[in-house]
Amino acid sequence: MAPKPSDASGKTDQHIITRFAPSPTGHLHIGGARTALFCWAYAHGKRANGSGRFLLRIEDTDQKRSSEAAARGILEDLAWLGIDWQDGPEFVVHGRDARATDGKIGGDTRGVGPYFQAQRLGIYDAYIQRLIDADLAYPAFDTGEELDAMRAEAREAKRTFRYIRAADYDREASLARVAAGEEHVIRFRMPAEAVVVRDEVAGEVTFPYEELDDFIIRKRDGFPTYHLAVVVDDELMGVTHVLRGQEHLNNTPKHVALQGALTHEDGSAFGVPSYAHMPLIFNADGSKMSKRDKDKVAKKAVRQSGSEAVSGGDLPTEAELEAWLGDKTAQLPSDQLVRVAEALAIDLPEIDVEDFRRAGYLPEVVCNYIALLGWSKGDDVERFTMAEFCEKFELGQIGKSAAKFDREKLLAFNFDTIQVMEPTLLAERWRAWCERYDPEVATALGERMPQAAGAARQRAKTLRQLREPLGFLFVADDAIEFDAKAVKKVLHKNDGEGLRLLPELGEMLAAVDDWSPGSIEAAVGAWCEGRGLGMGKAAQPLRVAMTGTSVSPGLGDTLSLIGKASVLARIERCVATNALAE
Ligand code: GLU
């Protein structure tokens, strides 16, 4: 039997058990991550007093839409965010960038698994059978056409369609038809009374019987519907608190009605968990934050550029593109969408956790930001660690109104974090990111990654942007392209003053033994002082020689990262390439 539900204040003498129950139909949406985070925080917060558990269950009863790959992706996204689960599918974390420590997450220590609903059909059947035996559920044989006709009739009569068992329903005959192997669904007999849902956010919500009907609990394919499976599993897994998106509030009367009707094998009744439905998340313009937003942006770009650049190879075929462009609601598979965006060099709005990861956000920053979506402690503190969040978080602080996703704010959070991060940690995160999305950088930089990260971070808002100021490290010494303006201004001005300094600077640098940024800068500084020159007089020509432009990270870092031999080679080539015409 499920533990006793908590009282309205959320206090309980039982262990708090929360769960996240995604359907594996695609990548984890950022709103789903918010749900998971709140569940996780509540299980680890002060109410739980150190004994709470966060459970992960994969709701894959929709066979056509579910996939193993999507389930795996969701586990990986959660692990990356550092949202680990005590009960659930076993998962091994390798990533150095996950906040969860390396090792195993999940497992079935309480023996309430399996955690994939498709592996629990026998369990659901036993509960459904007891409902049928008690005539609280019944087989129905209506075909799709028959149901359509009933809906049309209701429409014509201007009433909402509700399926209610006919007064003359012949139970014996129906059971005989089932025994004879006829295809059917099982419907729950909704008791003819209003259902009251007590919600920690919405308060007490009454659903009149007139809005409820005999909904399906087992489909023709033998799989339970979401409503039945979720209620059975929450009970059997001991879930005490159901935190989920507001879109499920209207499902809750069905769940509460089922909890009133379902019984265990020993005849004992089901409990009712505490519910908290969280507000929706909207884009800044008030539209719903939907996976289709990405397609929308990509479609616009493809229409502008023409489809030639984005079809063929591992990109969609012409025909696929046409079908996609022609249908407002059509979506490309997400890996193809990424390739289309890459081919067009455009950024797509981040919607799924994977999008934020790819864009170079840090997992702790994403968690911090999404914690603010629909939750507030009532103070102005916006930056906190997840341990602090667990400590602060209470169900009563969840807001009722929709939350707005502010990308600029998230970006600012990420920027601030990158600026103050311990260099080796930043390098570790960056390496993990590069290994996944930009392996060339990790290979090319090798040991130099911490130094490169430190040198490049000043303007980087994301891990992805760390590469931008370091472009000169990924070009061969003899392939630097010189920017004409920089050459004119820095090297050729005043009769080639800058250019003339370069061979001397090369000689001086050749004698520097300690090739660290500090000692390089000290050597250049001393050299300038000896000649009564400002540091810029030497630094700018050197920058042009190293990068082809007059902008680069700090001079010491730039030269040190390039390496002594390459620095000397670049100086020599710069002088030869940019010689002043006689
Ligand atoms: N599988 C449902 C979903 O992904 C879970 C809803 C719930 O938390 O009950 O929306």
Side-chain angles (χ1 to χ4, degrees):
M1 206 166 73
K4 209 168 74 220
S6 65
D7 65 21
S9 70
K11 275 198 206 96
T12 171
D13 47 1
Q14 304 283 344
H15 294 335
I16 285 177
I17 302 181
T18 60
R19 79 340 184 244
F20 179 53
S23 304
T25 53
H27 284 290
L28 178 61
H29 187 278
I30 194 74
R34 194 257 325 242
T35 301
L37 179 69
F38 283 17
C39 291
W40 175 87
Y42 197 60
H44 300 309
K46 57 173 173 276
R47 293 278 176 209
N49 220 354
S51 65
R53 299 184 80 82
F54 171 61
L55 178 150
L56 178 66
R57 181 174 69 230
I58 303 295
E59 303 207 325
D60 53 353
T61 55
D62 186 340
Q63 285 286 282
K64 278 201 282 300
R65 297 182 60 225
S66 300
S67 80
E68 232 183 280
R72 227 198 126 62
I74 291 172
L75 304 189
E76 204 172 294
D77 287 341
L78 288 171
W80 175 70
L81 287 168
I83 302 175
D84 51 352
W85 51 98
Q86 282 73 57
D87 304 312
E90 240 178 54
F91 184 79
V92 179
V93 183
H94 294 297
R96 281 186 300 267
D97 60 343
R99 281 186 297 109
T101 44
D102 277 16
K104 224 172 57 185
I105 297 180
D108 191 17
T109 48
R110 289 195 298 130
V112 295
Y115 297 95
F116 283 80
Q117 289 186 326
Q119 295 167 20
R120 299 171 63 81
L121 300 190
I123 299 174
Y124 306 126
D125 280 342
Y127 283 92
I128 292 170
Q129 193 55 49
R130 272 196 295 282
L131 287 178
I132 297 172
D133 292 346
D135 199 23
L136 295 172
Y138 61 94
F141 305 89
D142 316 271
T143 62
E145 294 80 58
E146 284 166 342
L147 287 169
D148 285 346
M150 290 183 223
R151 279 191 201 104
E153 199 187 312
R155 244 195 327 273
E156 241 157 66
K158 295 206 169 19
R159 55 180 169 79
T160 326
F161 171 67
R162 294 166 70 220
Y163 191 106
I164 306 284
R165 186 161 101 170
D168 60 355
Y169 178 84
D170 187 337
R171 180 162 184 264
E172 293 312 314
S174 294
L175 294 178
R177 284 169 74 179
V178 170
E182 196 170 325
E183 267 200 10
H184 63 281
V185 300
I186 300 292
R187 285 183 182 268
F188 175 64
R189 279 184 74 188
M190 193 56 143
E193 59 196 29
V195 178
V196 178
V197 171
R198 288 181 184 82
D199 188 84
E200 302 272 354
V201 180
E204 225 175 68
V205 191
T206 303
F207 294 85
Y209 175 59
E210 293 64 39
E211 287 175 15
L212 306 165
D213 72 352
D214 292 358
F215 59 91
I216 297 174
I217 56 174
R218 189 170 65 204
K219 299 172 279 185
R220 274 171 200 276
D221 62 5
F223 278 71
T225 56
Y226 154 65
H227 305 299
L228 185 282
V230 84
V231 169
V232 170
D233 286 346
D234 283 343
E235 168 79 5
L236 293 183
M237 296 177 179
V239 171
T240 57
H241 291 74
V242 172
L243 280 65
R244 60 188 174 193
Q246 208 169 59
E247 65 276 17
H248 288 292
L249 183 60
N250 286 336
N251 290 328
T252 313
K254 296 183 177 149
H255 303 172
V256 172
L258 275 173
Q259 283 147 0
L262 283 160
T263 49
H264 295 282
E265 207 178 346
D266 64 2
S268 58
F270 273 41
V272 180
S274 289
Y275 287 103
H277 287 89
M278 288 171 276
L280 299 173
I281 302 174
F282 285 139
N283 288 312
D285 65 2
S287 60
K288 198 164 167 229
M289 213 176 155
S290 134
K291 300 198 182 215
R292 291 212 186 98
D293 296 355
K294 288 190 274 183
D295 291 81
K296 219 160 103 189
V297 171
K299 277 175 194 172
K300 194 169 160 204
V302 172
R303 277 197 201 101
Q304 273 168 5
S305 75
S307 53
E308 303 78 43
V310 290
S311 69
D314 53 7
L315 289 158
T317 62
E318 279 281 349
E320 281 167 345
L321 272 184
E322 212 167 288
W324 172 69
L325 286 170
D327 176 356
K328 253 191 168 163
T329 63
Q331 290 176 266
L332 278 183
S334 53
D335 51 338
Q336 283 205 346
L337 203 55
V338 167
R339 285 196 284 269
V340 166
E342 272 167 6
L344 296 174
I346 54 164
D347 290 327
L348 299 179
E350 299 91 6
I351 306 286
D352 297 319
V353 171
E354 164 68 20
D355 302 333
F356 291 94
R357 186 174 183 181
R358 176 184 301 278
Y361 286 92
L362 296 160
E364 64 272 45
V365 172
V366 173
C367 283
N368 182 164
Y369 181 71
I370 62 178
L372 299 172
L373 296 173
W375 172 80
S376 155
K377 172 110 176 72
D379 54 23
D380 290 335
V381 183
E382 290 195 312
R383 302 302 312 267
F384 38 76
T385 65
M386 285 306 100
E388 288 162 349
F389 178 52
C390 289
E391 194 46 40
K392 291 166 177 230
F393 180 68
E394 298 264 13
L395 299 185
Q397 299 159 344
I398 299 175
K400 283 193 184 45
S401 47
K404 276 217 170 127
F405 200 95
D406 181 346
R407 291 174 187 283
E408 290 303 317
K409 187 161 170 170
L410 171 62
L411 210 49
F413 278 17
N414 210 52
F415 174 75
D416 292 346
T417 306
I418 286 177
Q419 301 317 306
V420 299
M421 218 161 164
E422 211 261 305
T424 50
L425 182 62
L426 177 61
E428 226 175 76
R429 296 295 179 77
W430 188 29
R431 182 185 300 283
W433 184 87
C434 288
E435 279 166 1
R436 201 172 158 96
Y437 301 110
D438 199 356
E440 186 201 2
V441 170
T443 317
L445 292 180
E447 300 284 300
R448 295 175 297 166
M449 247 174 146
Q451 193 192 343
R457 72 164 135 193
Q458 280 81 357
R459 275 192 296 271
K461 293 180 176 159
T462 60
L463 295 177
R464 175 182 293 280
Q465 290 175 1
L466 281 171
R467 178 185 175 142
E468 280 163 29
L470 299 174
F472 58 89
L473 290 177
F474 309 105
V475 184
D477 295 338
D478 59 1
I480 300 283
E481 282 176 27
F482 296 96
D483 170 57
K485 263 202 204 133
V487 169
K488 191 165 164 214
K489 188 166 160 232
V490 178
L491 300 182
H492 288 176
K493 219 166 77 182
N494 296 338
D495 281 338
E497 183 189 16
L499 193 66
R500 260 182 286 121
L501 293 180
L502 278 173
E504 281 183 60
L505 279 162
E507 251 171 64
M508 178 274 294
L509 287 167
V512 174
D513 286 329
D514 170 9
W515 202 249
S516 66
S519 91
I520 293 171
E521 256 173 53
V524 177
W527 185 87
C528 287
E529 218 179 293
R531 279 165 182 68
L533 295 172
M535 183 80 170
K537 289 280 183 207
Q540 286 308 81
L542 279 172
R543 281 204 165 91
V544 175
M546 296 305 115
T547 71
T549 74
S550 53
V551 246
S552 82
L555 186 68
D557 271 320
T558 302
L559 298 188
S560 168
L561 282 164
I562 291 172
K564 189 163 161 180
S566 284
V567 165
L568 301 182
R570 285 181 189 204
I571 289 178
E572 209 171 291
R573 177 165 172 272
C574 177
V575 171
T577 313
N578 298 299
L580 273 175
E582 289 297 313

